[in-house]
Amino acid sequence: MARTSSFSNSDLTWECSQVKRKLLNDAKKGRITRVSKSVVFELIAARPRIGLKSSRMLWAGPQREYLESWFVKLEGELQLIFDSHSDADPSQTRSEELSKNYALLEAKVTHLTDLVATYRDALEKLRIENAKLRELTILRFGHIDGN
């Protein structure tokens, strides 16, 4: 007789979604290039709501059908991400991509620094003009005080 599971189906779907999100983010960031069912089942078994010491219980029992279909969908989504990475520019390595991104960010920072300097100059001109106009107003009408 098979042992009953210590987790519910809702716990399993929750933890599967968390593992899926982690794997998709890792794939998008280039931390993983392939995935195997045993590694994914180990990740699911180690999750807090599942709390299994090994993934053997996930390979059999009522949750197996759900996990099989879930893994097939996950593989499809990961394959799309892997294919999009390879289609982007296969000759470009990770370091080249990072240096390109760095150069773009550096250009943006330079542009924004120049923009801030221009605004500061315009602000200083307006401050001087405002002081002159206050002096003229005081000369013409005197101080406007409530005292």
Side-chain angles (χ1 to χ4, degrees), residues 1-61:
M1 182 172 182
R3 193 173 128 202
T4 59
S5 58
S6 60
F7 52 88
S8 66
N9 285 340
S10 64
D11 291 339
L12 181 64
T13 55
W14 170 262
E15 296 299 355
C16 285
S17 67
Q18 299 303 308
V19 168
K20 180 180 179 179
R21 182 173 50 122
K22 179 195 179 314
L23 291 172
L24 291 176
N25 285 335
D26 286 350
K28 287 176 186 173
K29 294 180 180 177
R31 288 183 244 169
I32 59 172
T33 56
R34 61 184 180 88
V35 66
S36 69
K37 189 183 287 188
S38 60
V39 171
V40 172
F41 279 26
E42 286 295 327
L43 288 172
I44 294 171
R47 296 291 302 176
R49 288 189 182 182
I50 305 296
L52 298 175
K53 292 182 181 175
S54 75
S55 65
R56 286 182 299 164
M57 195 168 164
L58 298 176
W59 289 92

Side-chain angles (χ1 to χ4, degrees), residues 96-112:
E96 290 172 344
E97 182 180 327
L98 287 175
S99 64
K100 180 181 171 185
N101 289 343
Y102 179 75
L104 287 172
L105 286 174
E106 196 173 56
K108 286 181 183 178
V109 167
T110 304
H111 171 70
L112 290 175

Side-chain angles (χ1 to χ4, degrees), residues 79-128:
Q79 195 59 45
L80 287 173
I81 293 171
F82 296 149
D83 291 344
S84 70
H85 282 315
S86 63
D87 290 344
D89 190 2
S91 63
Q92 195 174 36
T93 62
R94 181 79 176 144
S95 61
E96 290 172 344
E97 182 180 327
L98 287 175
S99 64
K100 180 181 171 185
N101 289 343
Y102 179 75
L104 287 172
L105 286 174
E106 196 173 56
K108 286 181 183 178
V109 167
T110 304
H111 171 70
L112 290 175
T113 304
D114 293 342
L115 197 59
V116 166
T118 304
Y119 283 138
R120 281 190 180 146
D121 292 342
L123 181 66
E124 187 60 33
K125 287 178 185 175
L126 287 173
R127 194 174 303 164
I128 292 169

